[in-house]
């Protein structure tokens, strides 16, 4: 093949070398606009996984790198002058310039044509004369910009400014340090890359950067100012730069990575925030995958498709972790007042890739010290510590999340609900929540939804709460009250979610006359003042009935696009009266309902509110709005906020991923000072332990894991060897409290 490589960074150089090593007959030319010794930044960190791939693909490069690496195991987190060290992490780094030199030498030895200080011809021109064009031309890729219609990039600029510097001394650990200045918080990320030098990145929020006047500083003045902010760390030693400028990080995502015979690689295709150290790693791994598929596939087209299919899920996972990490640093002020060890644990687990259990394997003493500081009893996983809301003490932090079962008849729960909720109560969770229980027949989502508006409903629910309290003592059961609003009168989920009934539809009401799906769902009627008062009274009557039925906790459903959520979101509330307009107006009716329910709900029993912290849609509820909404409910007496997201409009674009909704809960917990329930893709007991110990949540609600395993909490205790009061096995089940052997081992 005749191959053109645009960009002489590590990804482009390594791709060129591997291509030529794969087949000496390939004609490979690489263009780099800068001189060979021009480079930006200082150190590069590579993982053992990446190094293993390099060793397999090109042992010569691996040997050369191994001779240069600086290795270390520790991470130091400096919090208000206190150094907290966690070990066992395993890093390897070298200077970026030396990395490029090694790759230059390898390319030349293999016969790659390197054209430095030379602008590459346009990719379209190269594509006509070459079999393959590899665009490794970085975050500001000209190739990507020239073919935007094909690659369909999305570039997101984030809220911090950073500058890439170096210090002429070697750190002995990865170092995170804070400077609490008169202008605001600044942070330092540092790590060694040679026996005599370290990378030093200084980062801060945009507004802090401007208040400090750094937006008006030249390169030398910026270095001088950074030296002053971190003078204790530097101990009088200077910082230096390399054409360093203040930059706002940009996340690059492309819908497509290839266009005909042109393919994006590395930062041109995707970026990951430097705080998880994956930029060069991703580029090198891209190169390894690309070459493997070019070797295995009969055509370039098939190879490029296979390359993208393999790499896209890996990159998406890394970008989710990087996004979580960068947002943690963007919101550093939320966490800085935590106790020192909890702050350090929170920082180390910020990306959700390092977890409680993983960190305990790396450094058990560090995790034990964090747990002691948090007051967790010895040999007790954080998830099995009690939590108190008013007069209700939950024995652990696990909640069975509300899950619609669509199995009621005329609103009445039956034996299915008794078995469903009873089994999960026996399964060890601290709190079991009902599905959304509707306050009227017209407030149901489907004909199969449960209610609390007839005497027989109350009797049926009393049967269930009696079972839980009698046969699963210590388990609390809560009721979630709601009204479907414009999302009502639809089929059972498995018959067509959000699809209207084929017949027997009932009229819908909402904040505004906006159908959920225009042309599909029916037009709701905008509620009048008297109708609003009537529905508020329905909530009151249902709450009184729930109290008599014996529920321990009541949650008001103000999320997911149902009636009260429809008032909160600007996308679904277009009213021009006192119940619309700005957020204060949109909050008015949900708060009126809350106040009315709280007034009749027994004072000793807690009341929570579920909200959608973002609509995942332009013009909708934002994370800032969510803080305001949570604060308003807390001020009115909410004991906790159950923080969910989305499901308000059908064209939402959620940013799915592991524990993807927990950052919203974390922010509300710290800014409002109210307990929070975290939900959303929390799937393992390790996730729960991590979130609780880091202080990001007080309770964790899990849905699908409890559908898979009603005894999820008890099994989590058994897996961790825990036998304490936070997860007692029911007396009839105790013989099964140890995991049975799966087979003979030799």
């Amino acid at each position: 093949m005749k191959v053109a490589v645009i960009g002489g960074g590590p990804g482009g150089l390594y791709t060129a070398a591997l291509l030529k090593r794969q087949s000496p007959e390939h004609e490979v030319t690489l263009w780099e606009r800068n001189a060979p010794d021009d480079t930006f930044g200082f150190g590069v960190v590579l993982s053992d996984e990446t190094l293993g791939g390099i060793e397999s693909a090109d042992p010569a490069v691996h040997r050369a790198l191994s001779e240069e690496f600086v290795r270390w195991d520790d991470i130091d987190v400096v919090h208000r002058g206190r150094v907290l060290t966690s070990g066992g992490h395993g890093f390897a780094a070298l200077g970026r310039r030396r990395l490029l030199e090694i790759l230059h030498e390898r390319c030349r030895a293999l016969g790659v044509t390197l054209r430095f200080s030379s602008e590459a011809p346009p990719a379209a021109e190269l594509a006509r004369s070459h079999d393959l064009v590899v665009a490794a031309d970085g975050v500001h890729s000209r190739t990507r910009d020239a073919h935007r219609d094909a690659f369909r990039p999305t570039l997101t600029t984030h809220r911090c400014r950073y500058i890439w510097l170096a210090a002429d001394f070697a750190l002995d650990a990865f170092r995170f340090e804070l400077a609490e200045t008169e202008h605001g918080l600044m942070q330092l990320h540092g790590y060694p890359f040679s026996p005599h030098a370290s990378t030093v990145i200084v980062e801060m929020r945009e507004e802090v950067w401007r208040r400090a006047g750094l937006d008006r500083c030249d390169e030398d003045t910026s270095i001088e100012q950074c030296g002053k902010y971190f003078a204790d760390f530097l101990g009088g030693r200077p910082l230096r730069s390399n054409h360093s400028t203040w930059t706002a990080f940009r996340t690059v995502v492309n819908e497509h990575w290839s266009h005909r015979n042109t393919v994006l690689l590395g930062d041109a295709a995707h970026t990951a925030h430097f705080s998880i150290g994956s930029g060069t790693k991703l580029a090198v791994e891209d190169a390894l995958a690309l070459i493997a598929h070019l070797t295995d596939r009969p055509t370039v087209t098939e190879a490029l498709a296979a390359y993208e299919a393999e790499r896209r899920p890996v990159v998406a996972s890394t970008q989710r972790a990087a996004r979580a990490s960068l947002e943690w640093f963007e919101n550093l002020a939320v966490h800085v007042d935590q106790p020192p060890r909890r702050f350090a644990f929170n920082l180390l687990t910020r990306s959700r890739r390092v977890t409680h259990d993983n960190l305990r394997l790396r450094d058990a003493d560090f995790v034990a010290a964090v747990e002691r500081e948090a007051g967790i009893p010895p040999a007790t996983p954080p998830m099995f510590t009690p939590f108190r809301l008013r007069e209700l003490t939950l024995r652990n932090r696990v909640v069975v999340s509300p899950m619609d079962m669509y199995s009621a008849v005329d609103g009445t729960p039956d034996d299915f609900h008794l078995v469903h909720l009873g089994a999960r109560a026996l399964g060890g969770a601290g709190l079991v929540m009902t599905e959304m229980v509707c306050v009227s027949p017209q407030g149901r989502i489907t004909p199969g939804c449960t209610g609390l508006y007839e005497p027989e409903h109350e009797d049926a629910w009393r049967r269930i709460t009696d079972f839980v309290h009698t046969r699963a003592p210590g388990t609390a059961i809560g009721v979630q009250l709601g009204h479907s609003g414009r999302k009502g009168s639809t089929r059972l989920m498995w018959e067509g979610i959000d699809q209207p009934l084929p017949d027997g539809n009932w009229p819908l009401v909402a904040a505004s006359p906006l159908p959920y799906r225009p042309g599909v769902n029916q037009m709701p009627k905008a509620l009048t003042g008297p109708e609003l008062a009537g529905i508020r009274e329905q909530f009151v009557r249902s709450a009184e009935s729930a109290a008599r039925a014996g529920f321990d906790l009541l949650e008001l459903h103000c999320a997911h696009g149902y009636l009260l959520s429809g008032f909160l979101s600007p996308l679904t509330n277009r009213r021009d009266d006192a119940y619309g307009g700005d957020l204060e107006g949109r909050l008015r009716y949900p708060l009126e309902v809350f106040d009315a329910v709280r007034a009749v709900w027994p004072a000793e029993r807690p009341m929570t509110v579920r909200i959608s912290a973002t609509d995942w849609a332009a013009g909708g509820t934002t994370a800032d709005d969510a803080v305001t909404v949570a604060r308003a409910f807390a001020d009115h007496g909410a004991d906790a906020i159950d923080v969910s997201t989305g499901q308000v409009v059908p064209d939402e674009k959620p940013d799915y991923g592991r524990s993807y909704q927990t950052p919203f809960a974390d922010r509300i917990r710290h800014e409002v000072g109210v307990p929070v329930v975290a939900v959303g893709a929390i799937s393992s007991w390790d996730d729960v332990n991590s979130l609780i110990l880091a202080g990001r949540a007080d309770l964790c609600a899990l849905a699908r894991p409890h559908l898979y395993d009603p005894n999820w909490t008890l099994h989590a205790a058994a897996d961790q060897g825990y036998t304490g009061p936070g997860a007692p096995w029911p007396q009839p089940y105790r013989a099964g409290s140890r995991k049975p052997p799966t087979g003979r081992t030799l």
Side-chain angles (χ1 to χ4, degrees):
M1 289 197 303
K2 186 178 181 182
V3 182
V5 179
I6 305 172
L13 286 164
Y14 194 51
T15 302
L18 290 178
L19 278 164
K20 198 67 174 173
R21 186 174 186 274
Q22 176 203 54
S23 177
E25 291 76 27
H26 290 331
E27 181 184 331
V28 183
T29 305
L30 180 146
W31 283 265
E32 169 53 49
R33 61 192 302 189
N34 296 305
D37 56 350
D38 284 347
T39 183
F40 304 94
F42 296 94
V44 173
V45 179
L46 294 175
S47 69
D48 288 340
E49 179 186 13
T50 305
L51 292 173
I54 293 173
E55 183 176 22
S56 176
D58 191 341
V61 170
H62 183 266
R63 282 194 300 272
L65 292 176
S66 298
E67 293 172 1
E68 302 287 340
F69 274 128
V70 175
R71 294 184 177 271
W72 72 99
D73 291 321
D74 290 348
I75 296 176
D76 286 345
V77 178
V78 186
H79 181 265
R80 293 177 172 165
R82 187 171 179 181
V83 180
L84 299 129
T85 300
S86 171
H89 297 277
F91 296 101
L94 78 164
R96 182 178 175 88
R97 178 167 291 168
R98 183 60 188 134
L99 171 62
L100 294 176
E101 288 172 354
I102 290 170
L103 294 174
H104 293 164
E105 292 164 8
R106 187 59 174 153
C107 284
R108 291 191 182 100
L110 291 166
V112 175
T113 301
L114 300 177
R115 295 184 177 177
F116 292 106
S117 303
S118 178
E119 196 72 59
E125 179 182 325
L126 290 170
R128 289 191 291 271
S129 57
H130 291 72
D131 300 297
L132 174 66
V133 179
V134 179
D137 47 350
V139 64
H140 302 293
S141 170
R142 294 187 179 186
T143 305
R144 184 188 63 228
D145 290 346
H147 299 283
R148 295 183 68 86
D149 291 345
F151 296 121
R152 300 182 65 82
T154 300
L155 279 67
T156 305
T157 302
H158 299 285
R159 298 189 292 180
C160 283
R161 291 277 180 163
Y162 69 95
I163 190 168
W164 207 284
L165 304 170
D168 289 324
F169 61 92
L171 291 165
D172 56 7
F174 221 121
R175 188 179 183 94
F176 294 101
E177 184 161 342
L178 309 179
E180 296 182 72
T181 75
E182 60 184 315
H183 313 294
L185 280 173
M186 303 177 185
Q187 61 254 28
L188 178 148
H189 313 249
Y191 59 88
F193 65 86
S194 83
H196 310 292
S198 300
T199 292
V200 175
I201 304 170
V202 177
E203 183 185 23
M204 65 199 72
R205 289 279 292 239
E206 174 94 14
E207 59 269 26
V208 175
W209 178 69
R210 293 189 181 279
R211 284 198 295 265
L214 292 166
D215 57 324
R216 301 184 297 276
C217 291
D218 60 19
E219 185 176 355
D220 290 340
T221 309
S222 291
I223 297 169
E224 181 184 347
Q225 290 299 104
C226 289
K228 290 178 180 177
Y229 295 132
F230 294 97
D232 290 344
F233 158 70
L234 292 168
R237 295 166 292 191
L239 292 167
R240 59 182 171 88
S241 71
N242 179 16
H243 307 294
S244 303
T245 58
W246 289 100
T247 307
F249 187 81
R250 296 208 295 181
T251 296
V252 175
V253 176
N254 287 277
E255 283 189 24
H256 306 286
W257 292 1
S258 63
H259 170 54
R260 297 175 184 157
N261 64 336
T262 300
V263 62
L264 302 178
L265 184 144
D267 283 354
H270 46 69
T271 58
H273 192 249
F274 57 82
S275 62
I276 66 166
S278 289
T280 301
K281 173 182 182 294
L282 287 176
V284 169
E285 291 176 352
D286 283 353
L288 290 165
L290 177 60
I291 301 309
H293 290 297
L294 287 168
T295 303
D296 294 343
R297 305 288 171 160
T299 68
V300 167
T301 300
E302 290 174 274
L304 298 188
Y307 154 72
E308 183 170 348
E310 176 190 330
R311 290 294 294 155
R312 185 175 284 280
V314 177
V315 169
S317 176
T318 301
Q319 287 191 309
R320 284 193 295 269
R323 180 68 177 262
S325 179
L326 78 86
E327 288 180 348
W328 194 93
F329 283 111
E330 283 182 341
N331 297 303
L332 186 61
V334 168
H335 311 290
V336 71
D337 288 328
Q338 287 187 301
R341 289 192 177 91
R342 173 167 274 187
F343 174 85
F345 179 87
N346 199 347
L347 186 152
L348 293 172
T349 59
R350 68 194 181 280
S351 72
R352 303 193 282 275
R353 284 194 158 183
V354 176
T355 63
H356 173 267
D357 199 46
N358 178 268
L359 197 54
R360 188 171 56 182
L361 287 173
R362 300 180 189 204
D363 190 340
D365 290 342
F366 173 81
V367 173
V370 178
E371 292 175 345
R372 283 195 302 273
E373 181 187 72
I376 294 173
T380 302
M383 65 185 293
F384 292 120
T385 54
F387 190 73
R388 185 179 179 90
L389 293 169
R390 295 202 181 210
E391 297 302 311
L392 176 66
T393 298
L394 303 176
R395 66 187 177 198
N396 62 52
R397 307 302 185 96
V398 180
V399 178
V400 176
S401 198
M403 295 175 278
D404 287 318
M405 293 290 106
Y406 308 107
S407 299
V409 177
D410 295 328
T412 305
D414 58 16
D415 287 351
F416 175 87
H417 299 85
L418 173 66
V419 173
H420 166 67
L421 294 169
R424 280 141 191 89
L426 290 169
L431 172 64
V432 176
M433 292 297 300
T434 69
E435 62 194 84
M436 185 175 91
V437 177
C438 305
V439 298
S440 70
Q442 294 74 30
R444 292 175 298 165
I445 309 165
T446 75
C449 291
T450 58
L452 251 176
Y453 48 84
E454 298 290 352
E456 56 266 32
H457 299 166
E458 183 180 318
D459 293 340
W461 284 118
R462 165 64 77 177
R463 179 175 176 236
I464 293 170
T465 62
D466 281 349
F467 176 89
V468 171
H469 293 144
T470 302
R471 303 312 299 256
T475 300
I477 182 166
V479 62
Q480 185 188 70
L481 290 184
H483 187 296
S484 61
R486 69 175 189 157
K487 294 179 75 175
S489 191
T490 61
R491 306 179 193 189
L492 305 184
M493 180 181 67
W494 45 87
E495 295 175 353
I497 190 168
D498 295 327
Q499 294 297 311
L501 294 168
D503 53 62
N505 285 281
W506 55 85
L508 302 182
V509 295
S512 299
L514 299 168
Y516 182 62
R517 281 192 173 91
V520 177
N521 301 98
Q522 65 175 283
M523 179 75 72
K525 177 184 182 296
L527 287 162
T528 64
E531 290 168 332
L532 290 170
I535 290 176
R536 185 179 65 236
E537 289 309 304
Q538 291 172 352
F539 273 95
V540 168
R541 287 194 294 273
S542 292
E544 292 172 328
S545 185
R548 293 191 297 269
F551 285 103
D552 302 299
L553 175 148
L554 186 148
E555 179 165 281
L556 188 65
H557 202 336
C558 296
H560 300 169
Y562 298 123
L563 181 68
L564 299 182
S565 170
F567 276 86
L568 291 172
S569 173
L571 296 177
T572 51
N573 184 341
R574 305 290 174 80
R575 301 175 72 97
D576 57 8
D577 63 2
Y579 295 108
D582 61 12
L583 185 52
E584 182 181 1
R586 301 197 305 273
L587 264 163
R588 183 168 281 110
Y589 184 63
L591 287 174
E592 286 181 1
V593 173
F594 178 91
D595 289 343
V597 170
R598 181 68 267 186
V600 300
W601 185 243
E604 72 280 3
R605 301 187 207 177
M607 185 170 164
T608 65
V609 179
R610 173 168 276 208
I611 66 170
S612 284
T614 176
D615 293 340
W616 300 115
T621 297
T622 67
D624 290 341
D625 294 335
V627 171
T628 302
V629 169
R631 182 175 287 114
F633 281 115
D635 288 346
H636 281 245
D639 298 292
I641 305 297
D642 188 351
V643 187
S644 186
T645 64
Q647 303 180 51
V648 174
V649 292
D651 57 344
E652 65 178 3
K653 294 183 179 179
D655 190 9
Y656 289 121
R658 183 177 184 177
S659 308
Y660 72 105
Q661 296 178 153
T662 58
F664 299 96
D666 188 1
R667 183 177 172 190
I668 287 170
R669 184 180 190 271
H670 287 90
E671 290 194 23
V672 180
V674 64
V676 296
V677 185
V679 303
I682 303 170
S683 57
S684 71
W685 49 260
D686 196 17
D687 289 338
V688 177
N689 284 329
S690 300
L691 293 169
I692 298 301
L693 187 57
R696 296 183 198 135
D698 299 283
L699 300 166
C700 291
L702 300 91
R704 288 177 177 85
H706 282 113
L707 293 178
Y708 180 77
D709 180 3
N711 298 309
W712 185 88
T713 306
L714 294 179
H715 291 159
D719 287 346
Q720 297 174 80
Y722 174 73
T723 58
W729 283 70
Q731 202 79 343
Y733 288 178
R734 286 189 181 173
S737 61
R738 289 184 297 175
K739 182 178 286 189
T742 56
R744 184 184 298 275
T745 58
L746 298 177

